[in-house]
Amino acid sequence: MVALGIVALVIADEDAEATEATDGGGGLQGVPAEFRTWILKADKACAEPAMVPSLLAAQLYQESKFKTSRAEATSHAGAQGPAQFMPGTWATWGRDDDNSGEASPWDIGDAVMAQGRMMCSLLKQAEKSGYPGDVRALALAGYNAGWGRVEQYRGVPPKSFAGGETYNYVQIILSTMKRFEGPGLLEVSGSGTGADALRKAATRMGTPYAYGGGGPAGPSVGFCDGNNGYRNGRCAASSTVGFDCSSLMQYAYWPNTKLPRTAAAQYGATSHRPIARGQLKPGDLLFWAHGGSGFIYHVAMYAGDGNVLHAPRTGRSVELAPLTSAMPQNDYVGATRP
């Protein structure tokens, strides 16, 4: 029995030796329909860049193979439900998320949202810890064995701990994330330069924000400049592979339209083709400056239906957001068509 009491049903997997976590993207496939909505909701509720739907899906598969019956989803140690919570741990993380009138580890919505909250907290701890290795691996180890064990070993516990249960738990989940990755959450129809650029950008949903990172070839490590790229008092950009707002736009349009690197330069290069808000089409660029004038600090891409696709800031990832709330409304400058 592991320290936290969340017991992995260690399921053999042919790819258990493949330990590198993939990006995860924003899509999801291969999960029962009744789990899909809740996994996506739990993912959206977490601001940690390392949280992706495929991570939660792979973890649920490892814990219970998406089983929900008491006969199939009760461990020998007493862990319960599809996310395998022990009663004591459930008391901390469980809520009545599906509004059934009871917070139950057997309810899919309650279980998945509790799993998401706990994993989100562990991912945050892992990032702050400075311990070597993938933050997802550290968080998974904390979920299985308790964060105290991660602190004890200053990383994922070795094979010698608990008969290798935690070590194998982490290895298997990271190696099986890929099977649950699906198409991006944004489906783009139509053709043309703008639609093609949006379609390309949408494949990067879930990629972390890295100030100064990214370019025509894809995501890359960023940098800090004294003001930008920091999180929790340390430079996050220098250890994050991702995009910032303008490099995502440059990547999306390259090579058909070779946009310059910064948001201000992109506005300067396209401002001769302004687009009224009521005439926006997928792929149009939208810009923000403090107070609606002056230096352009952010660029996003119109994604249709009143939404934009953008890389918002350090600590977040490439995402869809409503145009009205993506950035302060008073800072909106206007849109252009590359």
Side-chain angles (χ1 to χ4, degrees), residues 14-40:
E14 293 179 353
D15 300 320
E17 291 303 314
T19 61
E20 182 179 353
T22 61
D23 175 88
L28 190 64
Q29 65 180 4
V31 302
E34 61 269 25
F35 280 85
R36 180 181 173 84
T37 298
W38 291 106
I39 291 172
L40 294 176

Side-chain angles (χ1 to χ4, degrees), residues 21-28 36 38-60 112 115-116 119-120 123 134-136 140 173-174 176-178 180-182 185 204-208 316-318:
T22 61
D23 175 88
L28 190 64
R36 180 181 173 84
W38 291 106
I39 291 172
L40 294 176
K41 186 174 182 179
D43 168 67
K44 188 175 181 180
C46 179
E48 292 301 309
M51 175 68 84
V52 289
S54 59
L55 174 63
L56 295 176
Q59 188 178 24
L60 283 163
V112 174
Q115 173 202 5
M119 279 297 292
C120 192
L123 287 167
D134 191 320
V135 293
R136 293 169 181 168
L140 288 168
I173 292 173
L174 294 183
T176 54
M177 281 176 61
K178 188 71 177 178
F180 298 106
E181 293 174 15
L185 298 177
R204 294 297 182 172
M205 289 177 67
T207 301
R316 300 283 289 276
S317 54
V318 177

Side-chain angles (χ1 to χ4, degrees), residues 192-203:
T193 302
D196 289 344
L198 176 59
R199 191 173 292 109
K200 186 176 179 181
T203 66

